[in-house]
Amino acid sequence: MSGEVGLRPARPADAPAIAGIHVETWRAAYAGIVPDAYLVAMTESKQTLQWNNTIRSAVAPEVVLVAESSDLPGGRVVGFGSCGRARKRRGTGEVFTLYVAPDWQGRGIGRRLLHGLLAKLKAGGLNEAQVWVLSDNPARFFYEAMGARRAAERRERFAGVHLDEAAYAWGDLAAWLAERAGEGPA
Ligand SMILES: CC(C)(COP(=O)(O)OP(=O)(O)OC[C@H]1O[C@@H](n2cnc3c(N)ncnc32)[C@H](O)[C@@H]1OP(=O)(O)O)[C@@H](O)C(=O)NCCC(=O)NCCS
């Protein structure tokens, strides 16, 4: 696990690899937060169908990006993220998902994926963005380290329980991208 990691837009053929990371990271990150029954019922085959649809239907500024390690011939997806227009806030972008496989976390891949997603939103004419994070998820510290500020809170009903969520926001993507010009996709 020492090779280069590159970023590129996802292709439908990436859906199974994305689904595998999605299920693995949900079970690792959300155990004790999301009900066990929901986590156990998640399957790679259902997630593969969903990701296949998402990748095929994405229209800019909506995008799915994958981080791919060159360690194996043909590459291996080790993280992914998706973004688009915020569902409830006109003119704002939203990071919908951002997941790095557990063995690959802490190596700067999340930072590069986030940079790639925010750059796509900016290129699509959006200069603000947000991400919703479960309040109990340590990922909130990642977004704080990435210069986002806590902007809102909400309580959502999910899988039969109430979950507290926090929104983290970037108010000026042009400035953020200019400050972090060296951190983006290789
Ligand atoms: C959150 C996540 C995407 C971050 O990706 P990553 O590749 O592990 O993070 P990076 O290595 O790029 O870290 C970038 C910076 O954020 C910091 N950081 C990352 N995760 C952190 C955490 N949990 N707590 C505190 N700081 C954190 C890193 O220390 C690093 O800081 P530095 O610039 O001072 O070195 C990844 O850990 C993950 O997929 N977690 C599980 C799933 C999840 O919760 N996803 C978010 C759903 S909204």
Side-chain angles (χ1 to χ4, degrees):
M1 296 196 303
S2 55
E4 294 289 305
V5 174
L7 253 54
R8 62 168 172 78
R11 301 186 279 258
D14 296 317
I18 291 174
I21 295 172
H22 188 144
V23 172
E24 186 182 15
T25 49
W26 265 63
R27 288 185 179 148
Y30 301 148
I33 304 176
V34 170
D36 285 352
Y38 183 91
L39 296 174
V40 169
M42 288 180 85
T43 66
E44 291 186 21
S45 56
K46 272 190 279 183
Q47 292 299 327
T48 297
L49 282 177
Q50 284 185 9
W51 280 108
N52 202 339
N53 279 339
T54 302
I55 293 163
R56 285 179 190 278
S57 61
V59 174
E62 202 172 308
V63 71
V64 182
L65 293 180
V66 292
E68 187 176 52
S69 159
S70 62
D71 268 351
L72 295 177
R76 179 189 151 191
V77 173
V78 296
F80 69 92
S82 63
C83 66
R85 290 182 198 282
R87 288 163 187 142
K88 291 184 183 163
R89 289 191 65 196
R90 261 175 89 87
T92 298
E94 182 163 337
V95 174
F96 298 135
T97 61
L98 179 56
Y99 295 102
V100 176
D103 286 352
W104 292 81
Q105 291 174 11
R107 301 165 183 224
I109 297 171
R111 177 203 306 276
R112 286 174 60 205
L113 278 166
L114 180 67
H115 192 286
L117 295 173
L118 295 183
K120 290 284 184 191
L121 292 175
K122 178 70 184 68
L126 302 165
N127 199 41
E128 290 179 26
Q130 66 180 26
V131 60
W132 283 99
V133 190
L134 289 173
S135 301
D136 291 336
N137 182 352
R140 66 189 187 277
F141 300 119
F142 165 75
Y143 291 112
E144 284 170 11
M146 296 297 102
R149 65 182 165 75
R150 195 170 175 123
E153 283 166 25
R154 71 183 180 191
R155 174 167 278 202
E156 292 281 289
R157 199 162 168 79
F158 182 85
V161 295
H162 289 288
L163 295 176
D164 291 319
E165 295 183 322
Y168 284 83
W170 297 267
D172 185 348
L173 292 183
W176 189 90
L177 289 163
E179 273 167 27
R180 294 164 184 253
E183 297 176 5

